[in-house]
Amino acid sequence: MKVAKFGGSSVASAEQIRKVASIIEADSERKIVVVSAPGKRTSDDTKVTDLLIKLGETMIEKGAAEKELQAVIARYESIAQGLELGQEIVDTIAKDLQDRVAFDRSHTGKFMDQIKASGEDNNAKLIAAYFQSKGMNAEYVNPQEAGLFVSDEPGNAQVLPESYDHLNRLRERDGVLVFPGFFGYSPEGTLVTFPRGGSDITGSILAAGVDAELYENFTDVDSVFAANPNVVEQPAEIKKMTYREMRELSYAGFSVFHDEALIPAFRKSIPVCVKNTNNPQAPGTMIIAERDCFVNPVIGIASDSGFCTIFVRKYLMNREIGFGRKLLQIIEDEGISYEHIPSGIDDTSVILHEDQLDGEKELRIITRIKKELEVDDVYVERNFAMIMIVGEGMHNTVGIASRATSALSKAGVNIEMINQGSSEVSLVFGIHQQDADEAVRSLYAEFFGSKTGLE
Ligand code: ASP
């Protein structure tokens, strides 16, 4: 049995949903179909999830949002018409949305989750109706009825372990099951969503729950590329990569796949295949536990911007017991998470996403560090990018770091920070944001040259 997940662009219009149906009909092992909300039809279109966020926020602010509500209904209506489904399904969706906007708004997180999740939920109902209209044996499955239980953290759900046993029972059901991505229910019955992009997580949980032989993740590119195609011209296609490599690259800016989504599939050793809805014949990228790393020790180069660093210097910092703990405690007290802490003998930098640090927090943190840690110097620098070189073969290949640094130096990119992850699957360079694209291009040329595919 295979679990096939279709992302937003794969279910954005009637035309796309017809392709989904053909893909499912082409392989009888594709028994569980996980769907996103309708995504963008063109590059300047708006995803239904974003329309829904606007709808929810307007309701909270003004207590009414008729225009925003109609915009969402219109998207489903145009899909239903394109699929010749008739008015009934549109009325069901309109009624569902009207019920959701009338929900209790006193807890904004819970209210927003109700609204956001409708994107996937209604799309799953619509797609199931379309499959049935084509004579397919298919049905919509609700995550609560299937037992997909999650923690009660609005917008940030984590799957609860008992879900896997519940979901395993789906194996016994007949026909194709159409399952909405992006949300589950707390054991008390509250709807809770995963973080943005979370339909990938639903697919992975289901694949693990039903012990699928393969988790197929359908998107709109033929494969995962070794670098961002908007930065590097025609980057090589990755044919095979490991879970760890995909996780590191997704974390560092590859937007193909949600970085947390791999964990459930990985724990059960279920292979994942990223495929293209618009070209299902292409083999896609296989994500597996191990690969042969001799030929390509490096598999990809990612870049992510929007970082800042809190730089701290104190003479003999290395000898002061508890310094690191106290420093991180100050950051924790502000509810901030950090990404890296490269350190030297007398200095250390804490690197974090800069959107977490507004002016007031920055002032409080700097004041406390000065006062409580009696440092010689402390300051914040903004506008950093992190460039990450990823590859399982790096730890037993000599010279990767030196090749990378000399490529960057030839390109005139100043390296502010280097961090070799403890796992040695990745090497991170902190550089100024304005140099990020040049850095990626120079590293790409160094490690991949004119390669077109990475086996
Ligand atoms: N529709 C949600 C989002 O845009 C979840 C998903 O598509 O994975 O984030």
Side-chain angles (χ1 to χ4, degrees):
M1 165 185 295
K2 294 177 187 167
V3 171
K5 181 257 163 179
F6 292 86
S9 61
S10 303
V11 287
S13 63
E15 188 194 349
Q16 290 301 89
I17 293 172
R18 285 184 202 278
K19 293 181 193 167
V20 171
S22 320
I23 291 170
I24 299 307
E25 283 178 313
D27 184 345
S28 60
E29 291 300 313
R30 291 180 177 134
K31 298 265 295 191
I32 299 186
V33 182
V34 179
V35 296
S36 279
K40 292 184 179 196
R41 292 159 293 187
T42 52
S43 56
D44 53 4
D45 197 11
T46 309
K47 288 175 160 199
V48 163
T49 308
D50 291 316
L51 293 178
L52 288 164
I53 291 174
K54 182 92 192 302
L55 164 63
E57 286 173 351
T58 311
M59 278 305 295
I60 290 168
E61 208 184 305
K62 304 198 175 133
E66 197 46 36
K67 186 169 82 102
E68 290 76 8
L69 178 67
Q70 290 310 327
V72 177
I73 297 173
R75 282 294 304 268
Y76 289 105
E77 195 163 24
S78 97
I79 298 175
Q81 275 168 2
L83 295 172
E84 292 162 30
L85 282 180
Q87 194 54 31
E88 197 186 327
I89 185 73
V90 182
D91 292 344
T92 309
I93 292 173
K95 166 87 176 51
D96 173 84
L97 279 161
Q98 265 138 10
D99 290 348
R100 288 182 200 244
V101 291
F103 253 72
D104 172 17
R105 295 195 293 276
S106 57
H107 188 299
T108 52
K110 290 188 178 172
F111 174 70
M112 285 302 289
D113 271 5
Q114 272 294 342
I115 303 288
K116 282 191 280 176
S118 72
E120 293 24 46
D121 205 27
N122 285 322
N123 214 22
K125 287 180 196 159
L126 188 153
I127 291 170
Y130 172 60
F131 286 0
Q132 286 160 4
S133 77
K134 279 176 64 72
M136 290 164 69
N137 178 11
E139 62 173 325
Y140 156 84
V141 177
N142 181 275
Q144 187 169 32
E145 167 222 338
L148 174 46
F149 290 154
V150 297
S151 61
D152 196 357
E153 299 164 72
N156 197 26
Q158 305 271 344
V159 63
L160 298 180
E162 61 267 35
S163 298
Y164 294 105
D165 284 342
H166 302 160
L167 294 171
N168 195 264
R169 293 198 289 263
L170 295 176
R171 288 187 70 91
E172 286 144 32
R173 299 198 20 187
D174 257 2
V176 173
L177 307 180
V178 185
F179 202 102
F182 194 37
F183 67 97
Y185 287 82
S186 75
E188 291 72 40
T190 307
L191 183 158
V192 199
T193 67
F194 293 116
R196 288 299 303 266
S199 297
D200 285 341
I201 305 179
T202 306
S204 184
I205 294 167
L206 273 163
V210 301
D211 288 312
E213 121 207 16
L214 183 65
Y215 171 29
E216 293 179 308
N217 195 287
F218 283 88
T219 173
D220 50 14
V221 284
D222 276 357
S223 69
V224 180
F225 295 107
N228 183 345
N230 298 324
V231 177
V232 171
E233 214 180 302
Q234 294 196 328
E237 295 189 353
I238 302 176
K239 311 270 187 223
K240 248 187 224 163
M241 66 198 301
T242 69
Y243 297 109
R244 290 205 302 174
E245 289 171 332
M246 186 72 233
R247 173 154 163 70
E248 300 263 344
L249 287 170
S250 314
Y251 160 80
F254 272 37
S255 56
V256 185
F257 209 66
H258 194 288
D259 67 323
E260 287 170 34
L262 285 163
I263 298 158
F266 167 63
R267 291 210 176 114
K268 285 260 187 115
S269 301
I270 295 164
V272 179
C273 189
V274 175
K275 282 179 79 78
N276 190 354
T277 302
N278 306 316
N279 183 18
Q281 276 75 35
T285 299
M286 281 300 286
I287 308 169
I288 45 188
E290 278 174 39
R291 70 176 178 95
D292 188 348
C293 308
F294 290 117
V295 192
N296 300 301
V298 173
I299 200 87
I301 293 159
S303 135
D304 198 8
S305 54
F307 292 90
C308 67
T309 150
I310 305 174
F311 177 82
V312 184
R313 178 182 298 127
K314 184 175 186 185
Y315 182 54
L316 292 181
M317 182 190 287
N318 63 318
R319 303 259 296 264
E320 189 173 324
I321 294 172
F323 187 92
R325 180 185 52 76
K326 288 181 212 152
L327 174 63
L328 292 179
Q329 185 65 55
I330 294 173
I331 288 160
E332 184 181 337
D333 290 346
E334 293 292 341
I336 288 177
S337 64
Y338 71 88
E339 307 300 314
H340 308 276
I341 346 177
S343 49
I345 317 168
D346 295 330
D347 42 54
T348 190
S349 307
V350 184
I351 295 171
L352 33 107
H353 282 287
E354 64 189 345
D355 57 2
Q356 300 184 95
L357 196 66
D358 59 26
E360 280 173 31
K361 282 191 181 181
E362 177 175 333
L363 187 64
R364 277 200 298 271
I365 289 177
I366 299 281
T367 312
R368 281 189 65 190
I369 293 177
K370 278 190 188 150
K371 199 161 143 243
E372 295 169 33
L373 300 177
E374 299 174 333
V375 297
D376 299 325
D377 200 5
V378 52
Y379 55 87
V380 170
E381 270 195 291
R382 291 180 183 262
N383 297 328
F384 277 103
M386 294 294 138
I387 307 290
M388 198 184 246
I389 304 182
V390 175
E392 292 272 0
M394 280 170 36
H395 69 277
N396 45 24
T397 311
V398 177
I400 302 273
S402 97
R403 283 173 66 190
T405 49
S406 71
L408 291 173
S409 100
K410 271 190 227 143
V413 175
N414 189 28
I415 304 170
E416 300 284 331
M417 184 280 296
I418 303 183
N419 190 8
Q420 165 113 49
S422 327
S423 62
E424 287 200 61
V425 176
S426 63
L427 182 59
V428 183
F429 295 100
I431 60 167
H432 285 287
Q433 215 150 281
Q434 77 256 21
D435 295 333
D437 288 354
E438 196 43 46
V440 170
R441 282 193 281 265
S442 65
L443 292 169
Y444 184 86
E446 172 62 34
F447 290 103
F448 302 107
S450 57
K451 280 183 188 166
T452 54
L454 306 176
E455 293 301 327

PDB file of all heavy atoms in Angstrom, residues 5-8 35-39 47-50 53 116 119-120 181-182 194-201 258, ligand 1:
ATOM      1  N   LYS A   5       0.617  11.884  -1.199  1.00  0.00           N
ATOM      2  CA  LYS A   5       0.210  13.219  -0.730  1.00  0.00           C
ATOM      3  C   LYS A   5       0.347  14.223  -1.866  1.00  0.00           C
ATOM      4  O   LYS A   5       1.357  14.215  -2.584  1.00  0.00           O
ATOM      5  CB  LYS A   5       1.078  13.608   0.474  1.00  0.00           C
ATOM      6  CG  LYS A   5       0.731  14.969   1.053  1.00  0.00           C
ATOM      7  CD  LYS A   5       1.719  16.030   0.659  1.00  0.00           C
ATOM      8  CE  LYS A   5       1.183  17.419   0.869  1.00  0.00           C
ATOM      9  NZ  LYS A   5       2.124  18.468   0.509  1.00  0.00           N
ATOM     10  N   PHE A   6      -0.668  15.055  -2.044  1.00  0.00           N
ATOM     11  CA  PHE A   6      -0.638  16.057  -3.112  1.00  0.00           C
ATOM     12  C   PHE A   6      -0.618  17.455  -2.497  1.00  0.00           C
ATOM     13  O   PHE A   6      -1.504  17.815  -1.722  1.00  0.00           O
ATOM     14  CB  PHE A   6      -1.858  15.882  -4.034  1.00  0.00           C
ATOM     15  CG  PHE A   6      -1.778  14.599  -4.820  1.00  0.00           C
ATOM     16  CD1 PHE A   6      -2.246  13.409  -4.275  1.00  0.00           C
ATOM     17  CD2 PHE A   6      -1.184  14.570  -6.070  1.00  0.00           C
ATOM     18  CE1 PHE A   6      -2.138  12.216  -4.970  1.00  0.00           C
ATOM     19  CE2 PHE A   6      -1.068  13.379  -6.781  1.00  0.00           C
ATOM     20  CZ  PHE A   6      -1.545  12.197  -6.226  1.00  0.00           C
ATOM     21  N   GLY A   7       0.406  18.226  -2.870  1.00  0.00           N
ATOM     22  CA  GLY A   7       0.566  19.576  -2.323  1.00  0.00           C
ATOM     23  C   GLY A   7      -0.373  20.573  -2.977  1.00  0.00           C
ATOM     24  O   GLY A   7      -1.098  20.243  -3.925  1.00  0.00           O
ATOM     25  N   GLY A   8      -0.344  21.804  -2.491  1.00  0.00           N
ATOM     26  CA  GLY A   8      -1.297  22.841  -2.892  1.00  0.00           C
ATOM     27  C   GLY A   8      -1.395  23.065  -4.386  1.00  0.00           C
ATOM     28  O   GLY A   8      -2.499  23.152  -4.941  1.00  0.00           O
ATOM     29  N   VAL A  35      -4.478  15.280   0.950  1.00  0.00           N
ATOM     30  CA  VAL A  35      -4.518  16.488   0.123  1.00  0.00           C
ATOM     31  C   VAL A  35      -4.305  17.760   0.937  1.00  0.00           C
ATOM     32  O   VAL A  35      -4.723  17.887   2.079  1.00  0.00           O
ATOM     33  CB  VAL A  35      -5.842  16.599  -0.669  1.00  0.00           C
ATOM     34  CG1 VAL A  35      -5.963  15.450  -1.657  1.00  0.00           C
ATOM     35  CG2 VAL A  35      -7.053  16.665   0.239  1.00  0.00           C
ATOM     36  N   SER A  36      -3.661  18.724   0.277  1.00  0.00           N
ATOM     37  CA  SER A  36      -3.525  20.081   0.807  1.00  0.00           C
ATOM     38  C   SER A  36      -4.765  20.874   0.439  1.00  0.00           C
ATOM     39  O   SER A  36      -5.605  20.415  -0.328  1.00  0.00           O
ATOM     40  CB  SER A  36      -2.329  20.767   0.149  1.00  0.00           C
ATOM     41  OG  SER A  36      -1.135  20.391   0.749  1.00  0.00           O
ATOM     42  N   ALA A  37      -4.804  22.107   0.910  1.00  0.00           N
ATOM     43  CA  ALA A  37      -5.814  23.060   0.444  1.00  0.00           C
ATOM     44  C   ALA A  37      -5.401  23.526  -0.953  1.00  0.00           C
ATOM     45  O   ALA A  37      -4.220  23.449  -1.298  1.00  0.00           O
ATOM     46  CB  ALA A  37      -5.854  24.246   1.403  1.00  0.00           C
ATOM     47  N   PRO A  38      -6.347  24.030  -1.764  1.00  0.00           N
ATOM     48  CA  PRO A  38      -5.944  24.524  -3.086  1.00  0.00           C
ATOM     49  C   PRO A  38      -4.865  25.605  -2.956  1.00  0.00           C
ATOM     50  O   PRO A  38      -5.002  26.542  -2.173  1.00  0.00           O
ATOM     51  CB  PRO A  38      -7.244  25.110  -3.656  1.00  0.00           C
ATOM     52  CG  PRO A  38      -8.341  24.405  -2.916  1.00  0.00           C
ATOM     53  CD  PRO A  38      -7.804  24.145  -1.545  1.00  0.00           C
ATOM     54  N   GLY A  39      -3.788  25.425  -3.714  1.00  0.00           N
ATOM     55  CA  GLY A  39      -2.679  26.387  -3.642  1.00  0.00           C
ATOM     56  C   GLY A  39      -2.778  27.400  -4.761  1.00  0.00           C
ATOM     57  O   GLY A  39      -3.869  27.678  -5.289  1.00  0.00           O
ATOM     58  N   LYS A  47      -2.894  31.399  -2.129  1.00  0.00           N
ATOM     59  CA  LYS A  47      -3.284  30.070  -1.634  1.00  0.00           C
ATOM     60  C   LYS A  47      -4.567  30.179  -0.812  1.00  0.00           C
ATOM     61  O   LYS A  47      -4.733  31.163  -0.069  1.00  0.00           O
ATOM     62  CB  LYS A  47      -2.216  29.557  -0.654  1.00  0.00           C
ATOM     63  CG  LYS A  47      -0.919  29.133  -1.238  1.00  0.00           C
ATOM     64  CD  LYS A  47      -0.002  28.800  -0.060  1.00  0.00           C
ATOM     65  CE  LYS A  47       1.136  27.919  -0.493  1.00  0.00           C
ATOM     66  NZ  LYS A  47       1.764  27.230   0.632  1.00  0.00           N
ATOM     67  N   VAL A  48      -5.405  29.154  -0.859  1.00  0.00           N
ATOM     68  CA  VAL A  48      -6.620  29.168  -0.038  1.00  0.00           C
ATOM     69  C   VAL A  48      -6.267  29.316   1.449  1.00  0.00           C
ATOM     70  O   VAL A  48      -6.946  30.031   2.192  1.00  0.00           O
ATOM     71  CB  VAL A  48      -7.495  27.918  -0.322  1.00  0.00           C
ATOM     72  CG1 VAL A  48      -8.525  27.705   0.775  1.00  0.00           C
ATOM     73  CG2 VAL A  48      -8.189  28.075  -1.667  1.00  0.00           C
ATOM     74  N   THR A  49      -5.174  28.686   1.893  1.00  0.00           N
ATOM     75  CA  THR A  49      -4.805  28.825   3.317  1.00  0.00           C
ATOM     76  C   THR A  49      -4.560  30.296   3.672  1.00  0.00           C
ATOM     77  O   THR A  49      -4.952  30.752   4.750  1.00  0.00           O
ATOM     78  CB  THR A  49      -3.545  27.988   3.630  1.00  0.00           C
ATOM     79  OG1 THR A  49      -3.767  26.671   3.159  1.00  0.00           O
ATOM     80  CG2 THR A  49      -3.252  27.945   5.120  1.00  0.00           C
ATOM     81  N   ASP A  50      -3.957  31.043   2.739  1.00  0.00           N
ATOM     82  CA  ASP A  50      -3.728  32.464   3.026  1.00  0.00           C
ATOM     83  C   ASP A  50      -5.042  33.260   2.991  1.00  0.00           C
ATOM     84  O   ASP A  50      -5.224  34.183   3.787  1.00  0.00           O
ATOM     85  CB  ASP A  50      -2.689  33.045   2.055  1.00  0.00           C
ATOM     86  CG  ASP A  50      -1.304  32.458   2.328  1.00  0.00           C
ATOM     87  OD1 ASP A  50      -0.927  32.367   3.517  1.00  0.00           O
ATOM     88  OD2 ASP A  50      -0.611  32.062   1.377  1.00  0.00           O
ATOM     89  N   ILE A  53      -6.582  32.594   6.320  1.00  0.00           N
ATOM     90  CA  ILE A  53      -5.945  33.331   7.421  1.00  0.00           C
ATOM     91  C   ILE A  53      -6.489  34.774   7.430  1.00  0.00           C
ATOM     92  O   ILE A  53      -6.844  35.325   8.474  1.00  0.00           O
ATOM     93  CB  ILE A  53      -4.405  33.290   7.293  1.00  0.00           C
ATOM     94  CG1 ILE A  53      -3.932  31.848   7.564  1.00  0.00           C
ATOM     95  CG2 ILE A  53      -3.720  34.274   8.251  1.00  0.00           C
ATOM     96  CD1 ILE A  53      -2.462  31.582   7.336  1.00  0.00           C
ATOM     97  N   LYS A 116      -8.340  27.721   9.405  1.00  0.00           N
ATOM     98  CA  LYS A 116      -7.250  27.284   8.516  1.00  0.00           C
ATOM     99  C   LYS A 116      -7.455  25.853   8.028  1.00  0.00           C
ATOM    100  O   LYS A 116      -7.241  25.532   6.870  1.00  0.00           O
ATOM    101  CB  LYS A 116      -5.901  27.352   9.261  1.00  0.00           C
ATOM    102  CG  LYS A 116      -5.325  28.736   9.385  1.00  0.00           C
ATOM    103  CD  LYS A 116      -3.877  28.675   9.879  1.00  0.00           C
ATOM    104  CE  LYS A 116      -3.774  28.489  11.356  1.00  0.00           C
ATOM    105  NZ  LYS A 116      -2.409  28.338  11.851  1.00  0.00           N
ATOM    106  N   GLY A 119      -9.429  24.517   4.829  1.00  0.00           N
ATOM    107  CA  GLY A 119      -8.852  24.488   3.477  1.00  0.00           C
ATOM    108  C   GLY A 119      -8.641  23.069   3.005  1.00  0.00           C
ATOM    109  O   GLY A 119      -9.062  22.668   1.914  1.00  0.00           O
ATOM    110  N   GLU A 120      -7.986  22.272   3.842  1.00  0.00           N
ATOM    111  CA  GLU A 120      -7.713  20.875   3.506  1.00  0.00           C
ATOM    112  C   GLU A 120      -8.998  20.048   3.623  1.00  0.00           C
ATOM    113  O   GLU A 120      -9.284  19.199   2.780  1.00  0.00           O
ATOM    114  CB  GLU A 120      -6.710  20.245   4.459  1.00  0.00           C
ATOM    115  CG  GLU A 120      -5.281  20.629   4.565  1.00  0.00           C
ATOM    116  CD  GLU A 120      -4.759  21.968   4.168  1.00  0.00           C
ATOM    117  OE1 GLU A 120      -5.383  22.969   4.543  1.00  0.00           O
ATOM    118  OE2 GLU A 120      -3.699  22.039   3.534  1.00  0.00           O
ATOM    119  N   GLY A 181      -4.937  16.881   4.803  1.00  0.00           N
ATOM    120  CA  GLY A 181      -3.675  17.104   5.516  1.00  0.00           C
ATOM    121  C   GLY A 181      -3.808  18.233   6.520  1.00  0.00           C
ATOM    122  O   GLY A 181      -4.875  18.841   6.658  1.00  0.00           O
ATOM    123  N   PHE A 182      -2.726  18.478   7.273  1.00  0.00           N
ATOM    124  CA  PHE A 182      -2.539  19.726   8.033  1.00  0.00           C
ATOM    125  C   PHE A 182      -3.149  19.772   9.432  1.00  0.00           C
ATOM    126  O   PHE A 182      -2.875  20.693  10.176  1.00  0.00           O
ATOM    127  CB  PHE A 182      -3.062  20.891   7.174  1.00  0.00           C
ATOM    128  CG  PHE A 182      -2.687  22.268   7.600  1.00  0.00           C
ATOM    129  CD1 PHE A 182      -1.440  22.565   8.139  1.00  0.00           C
ATOM    130  CD2 PHE A 182      -3.588  23.330   7.439  1.00  0.00           C
ATOM    131  CE1 PHE A 182      -1.096  23.873   8.504  1.00  0.00           C
ATOM    132  CE2 PHE A 182      -3.256  24.635   7.793  1.00  0.00           C
ATOM    133  CZ  PHE A 182      -2.004  24.902   8.326  1.00  0.00           C
ATOM    134  N   PHE A 194      -1.084  21.524  12.304  1.00  0.00           N
ATOM    135  CA  PHE A 194       0.379  21.451  12.305  1.00  0.00           C
ATOM    136  C   PHE A 194       0.915  22.815  11.862  1.00  0.00           C
ATOM    137  O   PHE A 194       0.140  23.660  11.410  1.00  0.00           O
ATOM    138  CB  PHE A 194       0.838  20.367  11.311  1.00  0.00           C
ATOM    139  CG  PHE A 194       0.466  18.972  11.727  1.00  0.00           C
ATOM    140  CD1 PHE A 194      -0.410  18.211  10.962  1.00  0.00           C
ATOM    141  CD2 PHE A 194       0.993  18.418  12.887  1.00  0.00           C
ATOM    142  CE1 PHE A 194      -0.768  16.930  11.348  1.00  0.00           C
ATOM    143  CE2 PHE A 194       0.648  17.133  13.273  1.00  0.00           C
ATOM    144  CZ  PHE A 194      -0.231  16.393  12.506  1.00  0.00           C
ATOM    145  N   PRO A 195       2.247  23.028  11.926  1.00  0.00           N
ATOM    146  CA  PRO A 195       2.780  24.276  11.374  1.00  0.00           C
ATOM    147  C   PRO A 195       2.507  24.366   9.874  1.00  0.00           C
ATOM    148  O   PRO A 195       2.152  23.358   9.240  1.00  0.00           O
ATOM    149  CB  PRO A 195       4.291  24.169  11.627  1.00  0.00           C
ATOM    150  CG  PRO A 195       4.457  23.109  12.644  1.00  0.00           C
ATOM    151  CD  PRO A 195       3.287  22.194  12.522  1.00  0.00           C
ATOM    152  N   ARG A 196       2.709  25.559   9.285  1.00  0.00           N
ATOM    153  CA  ARG A 196       2.492  25.746   7.843  1.00  0.00           C
ATOM    154  C   ARG A 196       3.254  24.696   7.038  1.00  0.00           C
ATOM    155  O   ARG A 196       4.362  24.309   7.407  1.00  0.00           O
ATOM    156  CB  ARG A 196       2.954  27.143   7.399  1.00  0.00           C
ATOM    157  CG  ARG A 196       2.100  28.308   7.826  1.00  0.00           C
ATOM    158  CD  ARG A 196       0.684  28.293   7.326  1.00  0.00           C
ATOM    159  NE  ARG A 196       0.485  28.230   5.875  1.00  0.00           N
ATOM    160  CZ  ARG A 196       0.319  29.275   5.086  1.00  0.00           C
ATOM    161  NH1 ARG A 196       0.377  30.499   5.587  1.00  0.00           N
ATOM    162  NH2 ARG A 196       0.083  29.114   3.790  1.00  0.00           N
ATOM    163  N   GLY A 197       2.648  24.248   5.963  1.00  0.00           N
ATOM    164  CA  GLY A 197       3.265  23.190   5.159  1.00  0.00           C
ATOM    165  C   GLY A 197       3.025  21.814   5.759  1.00  0.00           C
ATOM    166  O   GLY A 197       3.605  20.819   5.330  1.00  0.00           O
ATOM    167  N   GLY A 198       2.146  21.750   6.763  1.00  0.00           N
ATOM    168  CA  GLY A 198       2.002  20.537   7.573  1.00  0.00           C
ATOM    169  C   GLY A 198       1.278  19.372   6.928  1.00  0.00           C
ATOM    170  O   GLY A 198       1.207  18.294   7.528  1.00  0.00           O
ATOM    171  N   SER A 199       0.766  19.538   5.712  1.00  0.00           N
ATOM    172  CA  SER A 199       0.138  18.365   5.077  1.00  0.00           C
ATOM    173  C   SER A 199       1.187  17.288   4.801  1.00  0.00           C
ATOM    174  O   SER A 199       0.870  16.094   4.792  1.00  0.00           O
ATOM    175  CB  SER A 199      -0.555  18.751   3.769  1.00  0.00           C
ATOM    176  OG  SER A 199      -1.587  19.655   4.042  1.00  0.00           O
ATOM    177  N   ASP A 200       2.426  17.707   4.587  1.00  0.00           N
ATOM    178  CA  ASP A 200       3.517  16.729   4.440  1.00  0.00           C
ATOM    179  C   ASP A 200       3.631  15.871   5.701  1.00  0.00           C
ATOM    180  O   ASP A 200       3.948  14.681   5.633  1.00  0.00           O
ATOM    181  CB  ASP A 200       4.873  17.442   4.283  1.00  0.00           C
ATOM    182  CG  ASP A 200       5.062  18.064   2.912  1.00  0.00           C
ATOM    183  OD1 ASP A 200       4.360  17.672   1.980  1.00  0.00           O
ATOM    184  OD2 ASP A 200       5.940  18.943   2.801  1.00  0.00           O
ATOM    185  N   ILE A 201       3.411  16.510   6.850  1.00  0.00           N
ATOM    186  CA  ILE A 201       3.518  15.788   8.132  1.00  0.00           C
ATOM    187  C   ILE A 201       2.387  14.761   8.217  1.00  0.00           C
ATOM    188  O   ILE A 201       2.610  13.599   8.569  1.00  0.00           O
ATOM    189  CB  ILE A 201       3.474  16.769   9.333  1.00  0.00           C
ATOM    190  CG1 ILE A 201       4.558  17.840   9.181  1.00  0.00           C
ATOM    191  CG2 ILE A 201       3.588  16.023  10.659  1.00  0.00           C
ATOM    192  CD1 ILE A 201       4.590  18.883  10.290  1.00  0.00           C
ATOM    193  N   HIS A 258       8.398  19.686   4.078  1.00  0.00           N
ATOM    194  CA  HIS A 258       8.463  20.192   5.453  1.00  0.00           C
ATOM    195  C   HIS A 258       9.536  19.432   6.239  1.00  0.00           C
ATOM    196  O   HIS A 258       9.558  18.204   6.222  1.00  0.00           O
ATOM    197  CB  HIS A 258       7.103  20.002   6.121  1.00  0.00           C
ATOM    198  CG  HIS A 258       6.997  20.783   7.387  1.00  0.00           C
ATOM    199  ND1 HIS A 258       7.664  20.429   8.516  1.00  0.00           N
ATOM    200  CD2 HIS A 258       6.348  21.927   7.665  1.00  0.00           C
ATOM    201  CE1 HIS A 258       7.409  21.317   9.464  1.00  0.00           C
ATOM    202  NE2 HIS A 258       6.619  22.241   8.970  1.00  0.00           N
TER     203      HIS A 258
HETATM  204  N1  ASP B   1      -2.229  24.439   3.330  1.00  0.00           N
HETATM  205  C1  ASP B   1      -1.268  24.500   4.390  1.00  0.00           C
HETATM  206  C2  ASP B   1      -0.231  25.588   4.106  1.00  0.00           C
HETATM  207  O1  ASP B   1      -0.308  26.270   3.093  1.00  0.00           O
HETATM  208  C3  ASP B   1      -0.655  23.171   4.682  1.00  0.00           C
HETATM  209  C4  ASP B   1      -0.011  22.487   3.510  1.00  0.00           C
HETATM  210  O2  ASP B   1      -0.351  22.723   2.371  1.00  0.00           O
HETATM  211  O3  ASP B   1       0.866  21.675   3.745  1.00  0.00           O
HETATM  212  O4  ASP B   1       0.634  25.778   4.904  1.00  0.00           O
END
